[in-house]
Amino acid sequence: VGGKDGLQPVEKTIIDRCVRFIYREYLNDPKPEKMPILEDLYNELRRQDEKEARHIAAALELYVSGSLNVFNHRTSVNLHNRLVCYDIKDLGKQLKKLGMLIVQDQVWGRVTANRAQNETAGMAPKSTWFYQDEFHLMLKEEQTAAYSVEIWKRFRKWGGIPTGITQNVKDLLSSREVENIFENSDFVYMLNQASGDRAILAKQLGISPHQLSYVTHSGEGEGLLFYGNVILPFLDHFPKGTELYRVMTTKVSEVRSA
């Protein structure tokens, strides 16, 4: 909406005014069916007198009644479940960034709520686990990368436990924010790495040539564990003829046969 220069002060003021108005009823009686949607903001913008308001509304139309109106609905998912999975793989290129920001914001809200709930009861913050597969995608966009850094810096103080998972280490390390991520990570679990990735990781994490051998042409369940300043090689050949292995395996052939 704001273009490469972002929103102008007048536009921010108009949006702030409209958002406060459309949330008034919900805040007085916070029921899920009264939660405002994007279309409510769009309609309120159109009622404003400023030409900037009409400009913002016109920019939002694509996401309200146009072909990208995916997020102009209330969720049908129970977000209070103990396990919630967000799948954004089917979002097109134009909605991918928006989808990632919405997920990050939702998780941030959940961690904040869990913290507040236990503080009110005089208990330690409730732990909230946040697993992000294909994590390198979060660091490709400036906004989602900056949000990720804030998550890594602040979640652990609130009982949040973020985990990033990726096979594309080169893409991950190309982000200028990755140093902040590593500095705020207590635990790194590293499996077999490609030659180019090993060289970058050795420099970034201070891995010796001997330690590097544990992630060079290594087999399944072999690699390195980083915990604080300690680096440990590990070998974990999990027995396959067990119920626990059947539940945990992600191999397509084994999942199908199960």
Side-chain angles (χ1 to χ4, degrees):
V1 174
K4 64 178 182 180
D5 298 322
L7 293 169
Q8 298 304 307
V10 174
E11 295 172 325
K12 291 180 181 179
T13 299
I14 294 169
I15 292 173
D16 179 74
R17 180 204 308 155
C18 293
V19 167
R20 283 187 286 115
F21 181 84
I22 65 174
Y23 268 87
R24 188 177 300 167
E25 182 182 0
Y26 173 75
L27 293 175
N28 288 333
D29 185 15
K31 295 178 179 177
E33 60 270 20
K34 293 187 177 182
M35 173 71 74
I37 60 175
L38 196 57
E39 189 170 355
D40 296 318
L41 175 60
Y42 170 76
N43 291 333
E44 188 60 31
L45 284 166
R46 295 185 65 191
R47 296 188 190 104
Q48 306 305 303
D49 296 328
E50 297 92 345
K51 68 178 187 301
E52 290 86 356
R54 293 191 293 274
H55 170 76
I56 300 169
L60 283 179
E61 188 174 327
L62 175 65
Y63 303 97
V64 173
S65 57
S67 58
L68 301 181
N69 68 341
V70 174
F71 295 112
N72 185 38
H73 310 278
R74 294 185 182 91
T75 182
S76 59
V77 177
N78 181 5
L79 298 176
H80 297 288
N81 283 332
R82 291 194 64 190
L83 177 64
V84 180
C85 180
Y86 298 93
D87 186 354
I88 61 172
K89 72 172 187 260
D90 291 330
L91 290 179
K93 186 177 181 181
Q94 293 186 73
L95 287 174
K96 187 79 74 177
K97 177 181 174 182
L98 178 60
M100 290 191 293
L101 285 169
I102 288 172
V103 170
Q104 286 180 315
D105 187 67
Q106 171 62 35
V107 173
W108 187 286
R110 181 66 177 268
V111 171
T112 304
N114 286 346
R115 175 200 187 199
Q117 178 183 342
N118 280 31
E119 281 185 347
T120 303
M123 302 165 62
K126 182 190 293 184
S127 295
T128 309
W129 280 265
F130 179 33
Y131 296 94
Q132 301 163 84
D133 198 8
E134 305 294 354
F135 182 59
H136 61 281
L137 296 176
M138 289 290 188
L139 301 186
K140 274 190 173 182
E141 297 285 350
E142 184 177 348
Q143 284 179 286
T144 53
Y147 213 149
S148 295
V149 171
E150 287 302 307
I151 286 172
W152 251 254
K153 285 182 176 179
R154 297 173 66 179
F155 266 25
R156 59 183 178 176
K157 301 172 187 175
W158 297 357
I161 307 171
T163 301
I165 307 167
T166 184
Q167 294 178 331
N168 298 73
V169 177
K170 197 169 294 183
D171 288 345
L172 180 75
L173 296 177
S174 66
S175 169
R176 61 184 181 183
E177 301 288 6
V178 74
E179 193 170 336
N180 287 319
I181 298 288
F182 275 127
E183 285 176 356
N184 288 279
S185 295
D186 292 327
F187 181 86
V188 177
Y189 183 94
M190 187 183 299
L191 300 173
N192 184 51
Q193 301 294 321
S195 176
D197 294 342
R198 288 198 301 270
I200 300 172
L201 287 165
K203 182 179 179 181
Q204 189 85 25
L205 299 175
I207 309 173
S208 71
H210 176 68
Q211 290 167 334
L212 211 58
S213 67
Y214 289 94
V215 289
T216 302
H217 306 302
S218 53
E220 296 176 356
E222 301 173 13
L224 291 173
L225 290 177
F226 298 73
Y227 188 76
N229 296 321
V230 179
I231 304 177
L232 292 173
F234 70 88
L235 182 64
D236 180 21
H237 291 162
F238 201 90
K240 294 186 176 181
T242 62
E243 180 66 14
L244 193 56
Y245 179 88
R246 188 190 69 80
V247 172
M248 293 193 303
T249 182
T250 57
K251 292 182 178 179
V252 176
S253 59
E254 293 177 343
V255 170
R256 283 176 179 170
S257 62

